[in-house]
Amino acid sequence: VLGAVDSVERALGLAPDVLVVDLAGPGALAAVGAASDGGLAVLAVSDSGEHVEVLAAVRAGAIGFVVDTGRPWDVLDAVT
């Protein structure tokens, strides 16, 4: 999860199967783009399911989007 590491570069070095990016964080869409450009599969997470936000994440390179409902298994289900 971006936030658990301090940068996309560090996440790329860890070589995860999926990088989960919380869109509430500063520079989140830029992070989605940088990670997807670096070859990572990116799952965007937000507490909003607004159409504009979903499209922005997908345009930035996210392969999936999950609305954060506070249930961690929603993110787990999206990753697996």
Side-chain angles (χ1 to χ4, degrees):
V1 175
L2 199 57
V5 295
D6 55 0
S7 69
V8 171
E9 292 77 22
R10 188 157 180 202
L12 288 168
L14 296 172
D17 293 327
V18 177
L19 180 65
V20 178
V21 177
D22 185 347
L23 295 181
L29 288 176
V32 169
S36 66
D37 288 349
L40 290 180
V42 179
L43 175 67
V45 178
S46 174
D47 60 358
S48 166
E50 293 293 321
H51 182 75
V52 172
E53 189 173 39
V54 174
L55 285 177
V58 170
R59 286 184 182 131
I63 62 165
F65 187 94
V66 174
V67 176
D68 183 3
T69 60
R71 302 179 315 197
W73 55 85
D74 289 339
V75 174
L76 179 62
D77 286 344
V79 171
T80 56

